[in-house]
């Protein structure tokens, strides 16, 4: 997936993030201070950086600005303060996205995936995805099952296209919420209902 640098001084949080992102096939390096992080960026340029703002050596905003002088890689800041003014300041100072502590591994992974997709348009999903008997044409927004056109709502199409682009992968409800619904929070039931409609249109029973 991607080379990710985690700058975080709490060794417990750091290990958990490393374990989680590694499990999701990212190549992870770490630093425990802002200055070590900046050194890492020069020695092993990452594709994405997760920067904790509560580091022992530099103030978070300062660390972010210094990071920006050495790399254009997307930076996700991890902040303990869920304050709008603070978050706006960080985004203005060069952060590409933020997560508020405590955050789940799933949440961070979804943010990383979204940022990487934006950062490299060349890696956008293929225009036509074919899985088993399914053919999904992104440009025409058309899905065929065994040659028969499926009558899908806009959301059902997006949901099917998202899942079909990830055959064999486990996709969490949280990820669907972020990537298909473009919402940070929501109701699991909404997703379940859409999935069950989609299954019905695909001719699947719940048991299958
Ligand atoms: Ca910290």
């Amino acid at each position: 997936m991607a080379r990710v640098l985690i700058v975080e001084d709490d060794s417990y949080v750091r290990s958990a993030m490393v374990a989680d992102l590694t499990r999701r096939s990212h190549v992870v390096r770490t630093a425990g201070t802002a200055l070590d992080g900046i050194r890492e960026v020069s020695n092993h340029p990452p594709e994405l950086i997760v920067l904790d703002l509560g580091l022992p050596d530099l103030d978070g905003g300062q660390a972010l600005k210094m990071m920006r002088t050495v790399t254009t890689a997307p930076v996700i800041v991890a902040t303990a303060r869920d304050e709008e003014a603070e978050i706006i300041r960080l985004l203005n100072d060069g952060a590409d996205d933020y997560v508020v502590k405590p955050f789940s591994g799933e949440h961070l992974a979804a943010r990383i995936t979204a940022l990487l997709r934006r950062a490299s348009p060349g890696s956008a999903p293929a225009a036509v995805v074919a899985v088993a008997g399914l053919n999904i044409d992104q440009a025409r927004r058309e899905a065929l099952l065994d040659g028969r056109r499926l009558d899908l709502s806009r959301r059902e199409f997006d949901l099917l296209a998202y899942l079909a682009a990830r055959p064999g992968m486990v996709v969490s409800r949280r990820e669907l919420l972020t990537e298909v619904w473009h919402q940070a929070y929501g109701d699991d039931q909404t997703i379940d209902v859409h999935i069950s409609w989609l299954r019905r249109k695909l001719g699947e029973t719940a048991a299958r």
Side-chain angles (χ1 to χ4, degrees):
M1 287 280 292
R3 296 186 311 275
V4 178
L5 171 65
I6 295 171
V7 189
E8 163 68 66
D9 61 317
D10 182 325
S11 61
Y12 179 78
V13 175
R14 199 167 58 218
S15 317
M17 285 164 77
V18 170
D20 195 79
L21 294 179
T22 305
R23 195 166 54 78
R24 293 167 201 272
S25 315
H26 294 295
V27 177
V28 185
R29 298 186 67 93
T30 61
T33 65
L35 293 179
D36 274 350
I38 287 158
R39 202 168 304 133
E40 267 295 324
V41 167
S42 327
N43 294 341
H44 307 276
E47 288 164 274
L48 187 138
I49 300 158
V50 182
L51 177 66
D52 171 37
L53 291 180
L55 293 168
D57 55 340
L58 284 181
D59 156 74
Q62 238 180 324
L64 177 60
K65 280 182 189 161
M66 281 188 70
M67 207 53 101
R68 269 287 158 256
T69 63
V70 290
T71 179
T72 55
V75 176
I76 300 178
V77 290
T79 172
R81 288 161 56 191
D82 188 9
E83 290 166 20
E84 198 182 5
E86 167 78 358
I87 287 162
I88 290 170
R89 189 178 64 80
L90 293 168
L91 292 171
N92 284 334
D93 281 350
D96 294 273
D97 201 353
Y98 67 94
V99 284
V100 177
K101 290 183 166 189
F103 51 85
S104 69
E106 259 181 334
H107 187 127
L108 179 64
R111 296 290 180 130
I112 288 176
T113 306
L115 263 185
L116 290 173
R117 198 172 40 234
R118 263 180 269 158
S120 55
S123 66
V128 178
V129 176
V131 188
L134 261 182
N135 260 280
I136 297 169
D137 189 326
Q138 296 273 15
R140 292 179 166 184
R141 298 188 60 82
E142 195 174 74
L144 302 177
L145 179 62
D146 299 327
R148 181 175 56 89
R149 191 175 182 282
L150 294 170
D151 182 21
L152 303 177
S153 71
R154 192 177 63 82
R155 189 77 81 192
E156 286 164 354
F157 179 86
D158 289 344
L159 187 56
L160 181 62
Y162 189 83
L163 292 171
R166 292 159 184 75
M169 283 172 65
V170 174
V171 176
S172 67
R173 290 189 180 88
R174 175 67 71 92
E175 183 178 341
L176 290 176
L177 200 61
T178 313
E179 300 299 319
V180 177
W181 270 260
H182 305 293
Q183 288 174 14
Y185 303 97
D187 186 359
D188 282 356
Q189 238 188 325
T190 309
I191 294 168
D192 292 356
V193 166
H194 277 84
I195 291 279
S196 95
W197 286 339
L198 194 54
R199 280 187 192 282
R200 204 168 305 161
K201 290 187 179 177
L202 291 169
E204 272 192 22
T205 60
R208 285 175 61 201

